[in-house]
Amino acid sequence: MAAFAPPPGTADIFAAEAARWRNLENTAASVFGRYGYGELRTPIFEYTEVFQKGLGNETEVVQKEMYTFEDRGGRSLTLRPEGTAGVMRALSNTDVLNGVEQRVYYYGPMFRGERPAAGRRRQFHQVGVENVGRCAPLLDAECIAMLVQYLHEIGIHDAKLSINTRGVMSDRGPAGELLRNYFVKHIDTMCDDCKNRLERNVWRILDCKQEHCREIVANAPDYVAAFSDESRAYFDEVKTALDAMGVNYTVDPLLVRGLDYYVHTVFEVSHSGLGAQTAIAGGGRYELYLPGQNKPVPGVGFAAGMERLMLVQDALGIAEDTQSALPFFLVGLGAAARMANLKLAGELRNAGISVMTALEERSFKAQLRAANKCNARYTVVRGDSELEKGVVMLKDMSSGEQQELSAENLSETLKQLITK
Ligand code: HAM
């Protein structure tokens, strides 16, 4: 039990775990790089209006979950609850406003004041991409295919991809009316959240999790039929392209996504190995208003929750080999031997070889224990007599075999030992 735990919904990540994070990040850089995406690092906090305007004031994230505070000058700042709005703010200083395409990926911590649970944190991490500046169905399809490829490359082959269309903004009026006219007849029996949503954002009723509300939702009218021909043709082309690329998906008319900025294609990836929080990634096409701009900028992208990706990897039994063996541990008996070992360690490290060396006066036994703890493949033992003879004792820790080596050119001898 930690004597001083970090705040609820946050976690410390130690070295063994960090190797798994790096693997998710490196694979992201590799896969997304192959599609022409470059890394963008934006600040962890932004002016609050970046999220209010970007995500929409009506979204649950903006209303209930943001960590907002004032800077010394009294300006309102917010820890980023997601990556898209900050990326768009950063890109507003580029030529995306003139319709030039930008492809960026990012990873890092995000912050939402949610009730912590398994797979739900207050500081969590996303790896995400945004393709900004252009709007075309094949851009959406390529982006989805890239997400699926990323999941494959981190060992997740059996995730479920759901897609849907939100139509263009001008479809929302007529289609929303259709839904409102239906739900108003049932609203008395629905949950309080849905009662609220009826006026404020009728679409969110579609993904209510309450059993009774879901029964009513199941019989809701086909709102996509009320979308414009343009919207339906757009969605058809996305599906045709996914089929052509061999990407498996299910069309889920109840998938609306929690953020207001989406238009046209939306998608979510879920996995049964996750328990209650089934979404490992989500995204879609959006139109986002940049602060100070009256014209929205189009984009398509997604973000995957890194903690959740690792939970799925755990469920699938995929573990990174984090306890890799340390090639050498240098055991030194006496001050002069320790000093010689310190010099040898420097030479090995310069040659790119990992090594640990005892730096304090400790017994032979204690040093061997330390070597075992580091999972050392070999120990190199040097005491006064070895120093005198100009040799060291090399011990293979798994077989127990020992041999004497000349101290002359020792770093080269040791290097050859592990590279042959
Ligand atoms: P989102 O669906 O809100 O979308 O989050 C994306 C993913 O982040 C989720 O599928 C989930 O895996 C993870 N996630 C969200 N909240 C938490 C939490 N409290 N704890 C752990 N994991 C969490 C977005 O954020 C959009 N910006 C995605 C996007 C990019 N759309 C277009 N471009």
PDB file of all heavy atoms in Angstrom, residues 53-75:
ATOM      1  N   LYS A  53     -15.620  26.439 -27.332  1.00  0.00           N
ATOM      2  CA  LYS A  53     -16.009  26.678 -28.712  1.00  0.00           C
ATOM      3  C   LYS A  53     -15.782  25.425 -29.556  1.00  0.00           C
ATOM      4  O   LYS A  53     -16.597  25.092 -30.415  1.00  0.00           O
ATOM      5  CB  LYS A  53     -15.197  27.851 -29.284  1.00  0.00           C
ATOM      6  CG  LYS A  53     -15.883  28.471 -30.464  1.00  0.00           C
ATOM      7  CD  LYS A  53     -15.525  29.919 -30.703  1.00  0.00           C
ATOM      8  CE  LYS A  53     -16.336  30.395 -31.911  1.00  0.00           C
ATOM      9  NZ  LYS A  53     -15.640  31.283 -32.773  1.00  0.00           N
ATOM     10  N   GLY A  54     -14.695  24.723 -29.296  1.00  0.00           N
ATOM     11  CA  GLY A  54     -14.362  23.558 -30.105  1.00  0.00           C
ATOM     12  C   GLY A  54     -15.302  22.391 -29.875  1.00  0.00           C
ATOM     13  O   GLY A  54     -15.844  21.827 -30.817  1.00  0.00           O
ATOM     14  N   LEU A  55     -15.517  22.027 -28.609  1.00  0.00           N
ATOM     15  CA  LEU A  55     -16.315  20.825 -28.326  1.00  0.00           C
ATOM     16  C   LEU A  55     -17.801  21.135 -28.223  1.00  0.00           C
ATOM     17  O   LEU A  55     -18.631  20.244 -28.313  1.00  0.00           O
ATOM     18  CB  LEU A  55     -15.862  20.159 -27.015  1.00  0.00           C
ATOM     19  CG  LEU A  55     -14.374  19.952 -26.776  1.00  0.00           C
ATOM     20  CD1 LEU A  55     -14.163  19.039 -25.591  1.00  0.00           C
ATOM     21  CD2 LEU A  55     -13.696  19.366 -27.999  1.00  0.00           C
ATOM     22  N   GLY A  56     -18.137  22.407 -28.001  1.00  0.00           N
ATOM     23  CA  GLY A  56     -19.542  22.797 -27.858  1.00  0.00           C
ATOM     24  C   GLY A  56     -19.909  22.875 -26.391  1.00  0.00           C
ATOM     25  O   GLY A  56     -19.616  21.962 -25.618  1.00  0.00           O
ATOM     26  N   ASN A  57     -20.590  23.953 -26.008  1.00  0.00           N
ATOM     27  CA  ASN A  57     -20.937  24.177 -24.600  1.00  0.00           C
ATOM     28  C   ASN A  57     -21.891  23.135 -24.032  1.00  0.00           C
ATOM     29  O   ASN A  57     -21.960  22.943 -22.832  1.00  0.00           O
ATOM     30  CB  ASN A  57     -21.551  25.566 -24.438  1.00  0.00           C
ATOM     31  CG  ASN A  57     -20.492  26.554 -23.980  1.00  0.00           C
ATOM     32  OD1 ASN A  57     -19.618  26.189 -23.185  1.00  0.00           O
ATOM     33  ND2 ASN A  57     -20.543  27.765 -24.492  1.00  0.00           N
ATOM     34  N   GLU A  58     -22.626  22.466 -24.931  1.00  0.00           N
ATOM     35  CA  GLU A  58     -23.635  21.504 -24.465  1.00  0.00           C
ATOM     36  C   GLU A  58     -23.056  20.122 -24.164  1.00  0.00           C
ATOM     37  O   GLU A  58     -23.746  19.270 -23.643  1.00  0.00           O
ATOM     38  CB  GLU A  58     -24.741  21.347 -25.518  1.00  0.00           C
ATOM     39  CG  GLU A  58     -25.622  22.575 -25.674  1.00  0.00           C
ATOM     40  CD  GLU A  58     -26.267  22.972 -24.356  1.00  0.00           C
ATOM     41  OE1 GLU A  58     -26.768  22.073 -23.660  1.00  0.00           O
ATOM     42  OE2 GLU A  58     -26.243  24.166 -24.025  1.00  0.00           O
ATOM     43  N   THR A  59     -21.807  19.893 -24.540  1.00  0.00           N
ATOM     44  CA  THR A  59     -21.281  18.539 -24.330  1.00  0.00           C
ATOM     45  C   THR A  59     -21.010  18.288 -22.854  1.00  0.00           C
ATOM     46  O   THR A  59     -20.706  19.213 -22.094  1.00  0.00           O
ATOM     47  CB  THR A  59     -19.957  18.318 -25.091  1.00  0.00           C
ATOM     48  OG1 THR A  59     -19.053  19.329 -24.693  1.00  0.00           O
ATOM     49  CG2 THR A  59     -20.132  18.368 -26.578  1.00  0.00           C
ATOM     50  N   GLU A  60     -21.157  17.009 -22.485  1.00  0.00           N
ATOM     51  CA  GLU A  60     -20.977  16.626 -21.089  1.00  0.00           C
ATOM     52  C   GLU A  60     -19.564  16.974 -20.618  1.00  0.00           C
ATOM     53  O   GLU A  60     -19.371  17.441 -19.494  1.00  0.00           O
ATOM     54  CB  GLU A  60     -21.184  15.119 -20.986  1.00  0.00           C
ATOM     55  CG  GLU A  60     -21.554  14.703 -19.595  1.00  0.00           C
ATOM     56  CD  GLU A  60     -22.329  13.397 -19.614  1.00  0.00           C
ATOM     57  OE1 GLU A  60     -23.391  13.367 -20.276  1.00  0.00           O
ATOM     58  OE2 GLU A  60     -21.858  12.434 -18.996  1.00  0.00           O
ATOM     59  N   VAL A  61     -18.588  16.757 -21.501  1.00  0.00           N
ATOM     60  CA  VAL A  61     -17.199  17.034 -21.126  1.00  0.00           C
ATOM     61  C   VAL A  61     -17.057  18.498 -20.710  1.00  0.00           C
ATOM     62  O   VAL A  61     -16.498  18.807 -19.650  1.00  0.00           O
ATOM     63  CB  VAL A  61     -16.243  16.711 -22.305  1.00  0.00           C
ATOM     64  CG1 VAL A  61     -14.841  17.201 -22.000  1.00  0.00           C
ATOM     65  CG2 VAL A  61     -16.223  15.217 -22.591  1.00  0.00           C
ATOM     66  N   VAL A  62     -17.575  19.411 -21.518  1.00  0.00           N
ATOM     67  CA  VAL A  62     -17.426  20.839 -21.221  1.00  0.00           C
ATOM     68  C   VAL A  62     -18.261  21.222 -19.999  1.00  0.00           C
ATOM     69  O   VAL A  62     -17.829  21.980 -19.141  1.00  0.00           O
ATOM     70  CB  VAL A  62     -17.821  21.687 -22.450  1.00  0.00           C
ATOM     71  CG1 VAL A  62     -17.878  23.172 -22.099  1.00  0.00           C
ATOM     72  CG2 VAL A  62     -16.835  21.437 -23.598  1.00  0.00           C
ATOM     73  N   GLN A  63     -19.450  20.652 -19.891  1.00  0.00           N
ATOM     74  CA  GLN A  63     -20.330  21.047 -18.788  1.00  0.00           C
ATOM     75  C   GLN A  63     -19.873  20.531 -17.441  1.00  0.00           C
ATOM     76  O   GLN A  63     -20.002  21.216 -16.435  1.00  0.00           O
ATOM     77  CB  GLN A  63     -21.725  20.518 -19.070  1.00  0.00           C
ATOM     78  CG  GLN A  63     -22.378  21.255 -20.228  1.00  0.00           C
ATOM     79  CD  GLN A  63     -23.853  21.446 -19.988  1.00  0.00           C
ATOM     80  OE1 GLN A  63     -24.472  20.636 -19.314  1.00  0.00           O
ATOM     81  NE2 GLN A  63     -24.406  22.509 -20.530  1.00  0.00           N
ATOM     82  N   LYS A  64     -19.365  19.287 -17.423  1.00  0.00           N
ATOM     83  CA  LYS A  64     -19.160  18.662 -16.104  1.00  0.00           C
ATOM     84  C   LYS A  64     -17.751  18.210 -15.809  1.00  0.00           C
ATOM     85  O   LYS A  64     -17.423  17.917 -14.671  1.00  0.00           O
ATOM     86  CB  LYS A  64     -20.047  17.409 -15.996  1.00  0.00           C
ATOM     87  CG  LYS A  64     -21.521  17.664 -16.066  1.00  0.00           C
ATOM     88  CD  LYS A  64     -22.249  16.387 -15.668  1.00  0.00           C
ATOM     89  CE  LYS A  64     -23.699  16.424 -16.130  1.00  0.00           C
ATOM     90  NZ  LYS A  64     -24.212  15.088 -16.391  1.00  0.00           N
ATOM     91  N   GLU A  65     -16.904  18.058 -16.829  1.00  0.00           N
ATOM     92  CA  GLU A  65     -15.688  17.281 -16.572  1.00  0.00           C
ATOM     93  C   GLU A  65     -14.379  18.041 -16.701  1.00  0.00           C
ATOM     94  O   GLU A  65     -13.316  17.463 -16.522  1.00  0.00           O
ATOM     95  CB  GLU A  65     -15.659  16.062 -17.515  1.00  0.00           C
ATOM     96  CG  GLU A  65     -16.819  15.117 -17.258  1.00  0.00           C
ATOM     97  CD  GLU A  65     -16.928  14.005 -18.284  1.00  0.00           C
ATOM     98  OE1 GLU A  65     -16.141  13.993 -19.242  1.00  0.00           O
ATOM     99  OE2 GLU A  65     -17.817  13.167 -18.125  1.00  0.00           O
ATOM    100  N   MET A  66     -14.438  19.325 -17.016  1.00  0.00           N
ATOM    101  CA  MET A  66     -13.172  20.015 -17.278  1.00  0.00           C
ATOM    102  C   MET A  66     -12.507  20.507 -15.989  1.00  0.00           C
ATOM    103  O   MET A  66     -13.169  20.937 -15.055  1.00  0.00           O
ATOM    104  CB  MET A  66     -13.404  21.184 -18.233  1.00  0.00           C
ATOM    105  CG  MET A  66     -13.885  20.710 -19.587  1.00  0.00           C
ATOM    106  SD  MET A  66     -13.456  21.771 -20.966  1.00  0.00           S
ATOM    107  CE  MET A  66     -14.136  23.342 -20.500  1.00  0.00           C
ATOM    108  N   TYR A  67     -11.194  20.426 -15.967  1.00  0.00           N
ATOM    109  CA  TYR A  67     -10.404  21.013 -14.879  1.00  0.00           C
ATOM    110  C   TYR A  67     -10.025  22.420 -15.314  1.00  0.00           C
ATOM    111  O   TYR A  67      -9.140  22.618 -16.145  1.00  0.00           O
ATOM    112  CB  TYR A  67      -9.143  20.184 -14.630  1.00  0.00           C
ATOM    113  CG  TYR A  67      -9.432  18.896 -13.916  1.00  0.00           C
ATOM    114  CD1 TYR A  67      -9.480  17.690 -14.599  1.00  0.00           C
ATOM    115  CD2 TYR A  67      -9.681  18.894 -12.542  1.00  0.00           C
ATOM    116  CE1 TYR A  67      -9.754  16.508 -13.931  1.00  0.00           C
ATOM    117  CE2 TYR A  67      -9.951  17.713 -11.870  1.00  0.00           C
ATOM    118  CZ  TYR A  67      -9.990  16.523 -12.573  1.00  0.00           C
ATOM    119  OH  TYR A  67     -10.263  15.356 -11.908  1.00  0.00           O
ATOM    120  N   THR A  68     -10.754  23.404 -14.759  1.00  0.00           N
ATOM    121  CA  THR A  68     -10.587  24.784 -15.192  1.00  0.00           C
ATOM    122  C   THR A  68     -10.080  25.630 -14.029  1.00  0.00           C
ATOM    123  O   THR A  68     -10.497  25.429 -12.893  1.00  0.00           O
ATOM    124  CB  THR A  68     -11.947  25.312 -15.707  1.00  0.00           C
ATOM    125  OG1 THR A  68     -12.303  24.520 -16.849  1.00  0.00           O
ATOM    126  CG2 THR A  68     -11.890  26.759 -16.121  1.00  0.00           C
ATOM    127  N   PHE A  69      -9.165  26.511 -14.325  1.00  0.00           N
ATOM    128  CA  PHE A  69      -8.596  27.371 -13.280  1.00  0.00           C
ATOM    129  C   PHE A  69      -8.189  28.702 -13.905  1.00  0.00           C
ATOM    130  O   PHE A  69      -8.157  28.826 -15.137  1.00  0.00           O
ATOM    131  CB  PHE A  69      -7.387  26.687 -12.618  1.00  0.00           C
ATOM    132  CG  PHE A  69      -6.331  26.264 -13.607  1.00  0.00           C
ATOM    133  CD1 PHE A  69      -5.199  27.051 -13.825  1.00  0.00           C
ATOM    134  CD2 PHE A  69      -6.465  25.098 -14.345  1.00  0.00           C
ATOM    135  CE1 PHE A  69      -4.223  26.666 -14.737  1.00  0.00           C
ATOM    136  CE2 PHE A  69      -5.503  24.701 -15.270  1.00  0.00           C
ATOM    137  CZ  PHE A  69      -4.383  25.486 -15.463  1.00  0.00           C
ATOM    138  N   GLU A  70      -7.902  29.666 -13.060  1.00  0.00           N
ATOM    139  CA  GLU A  70      -7.494  30.982 -13.583  1.00  0.00           C
ATOM    140  C   GLU A  70      -5.994  31.148 -13.496  1.00  0.00           C
ATOM    141  O   GLU A  70      -5.375  30.724 -12.524  1.00  0.00           O
ATOM    142  CB  GLU A  70      -8.152  32.084 -12.765  1.00  0.00           C
ATOM    143  CG  GLU A  70      -9.556  32.359 -13.231  1.00  0.00           C
ATOM    144  CD  GLU A  70     -10.161  33.549 -12.510  1.00  0.00           C
ATOM    145  OE1 GLU A  70      -9.427  34.251 -11.769  1.00  0.00           O
ATOM    146  OE2 GLU A  70     -11.363  33.763 -12.673  1.00  0.00           O
ATOM    147  N   ASP A  71      -5.411  31.776 -14.503  1.00  0.00           N
ATOM    148  CA  ASP A  71      -3.996  32.101 -14.368  1.00  0.00           C
ATOM    149  C   ASP A  71      -3.877  33.392 -13.558  1.00  0.00           C
ATOM    150  O   ASP A  71      -4.882  33.967 -13.137  1.00  0.00           O
ATOM    151  CB  ASP A  71      -3.291  32.156 -15.731  1.00  0.00           C
ATOM    152  CG  ASP A  71      -3.690  33.358 -16.554  1.00  0.00           C
ATOM    153  OD1 ASP A  71      -4.457  34.213 -16.040  1.00  0.00           O
ATOM    154  OD2 ASP A  71      -3.254  33.452 -17.706  1.00  0.00           O
ATOM    155  N   ARG A  72      -2.666  33.845 -13.332  1.00  0.00           N
ATOM    156  CA  ARG A  72      -2.471  34.998 -12.453  1.00  0.00           C
ATOM    157  C   ARG A  72      -3.137  36.254 -12.973  1.00  0.00           C
ATOM    158  O   ARG A  72      -3.498  37.149 -12.237  1.00  0.00           O
ATOM    159  CB  ARG A  72      -0.982  35.261 -12.256  1.00  0.00           C
ATOM    160  CG  ARG A  72      -0.399  34.311 -11.257  1.00  0.00           C
ATOM    161  CD  ARG A  72       1.081  34.193 -11.447  1.00  0.00           C
ATOM    162  NE  ARG A  72       1.565  32.945 -10.874  1.00  0.00           N
ATOM    163  CZ  ARG A  72       2.269  32.872  -9.769  1.00  0.00           C
ATOM    164  NH1 ARG A  72       2.612  33.951  -9.128  1.00  0.00           N
ATOM    165  NH2 ARG A  72       2.645  31.708  -9.298  1.00  0.00           N
ATOM    166  N   GLY A  73      -3.290  36.317 -14.288  1.00  0.00           N
ATOM    167  CA  GLY A  73      -3.934  37.501 -14.878  1.00  0.00           C
ATOM    168  C   GLY A  73      -5.444  37.391 -14.925  1.00  0.00           C
ATOM    169  O   GLY A  73      -6.115  38.263 -15.469  1.00  0.00           O
ATOM    170  N   GLY A  74      -5.999  36.288 -14.353  1.00  0.00           N
ATOM    171  CA  GLY A  74      -7.452  36.149 -14.306  1.00  0.00           C
ATOM    172  C   GLY A  74      -8.042  35.523 -15.555  1.00  0.00           C
ATOM    173  O   GLY A  74      -9.259  35.470 -15.707  1.00  0.00           O
ATOM    174  N   ARG A  75      -7.186  35.009 -16.468  1.00  0.00           N
ATOM    175  CA  ARG A  75      -7.738  34.347 -17.659  1.00  0.00           C
ATOM    176  C   ARG A  75      -8.013  32.893 -17.361  1.00  0.00           C
ATOM    177  O   ARG A  75      -7.262  32.223 -16.658  1.00  0.00           O
ATOM    178  CB  ARG A  75      -6.781  34.458 -18.840  1.00  0.00           C
ATOM    179  CG  ARG A  75      -7.095  35.706 -19.624  1.00  0.00           C
ATOM    180  CD  ARG A  75      -6.600  35.644 -21.016  1.00  0.00           C
ATOM    181  NE  ARG A  75      -7.442  34.865 -21.914  1.00  0.00           N
ATOM    182  CZ  ARG A  75      -7.301  34.910 -23.220  1.00  0.00           C
ATOM    183  NH1 ARG A  75      -6.382  35.675 -23.763  1.00  0.00           N
ATOM    184  NH2 ARG A  75      -8.079  34.186 -24.002  1.00  0.00           N
TER     185      ARG A  75
END
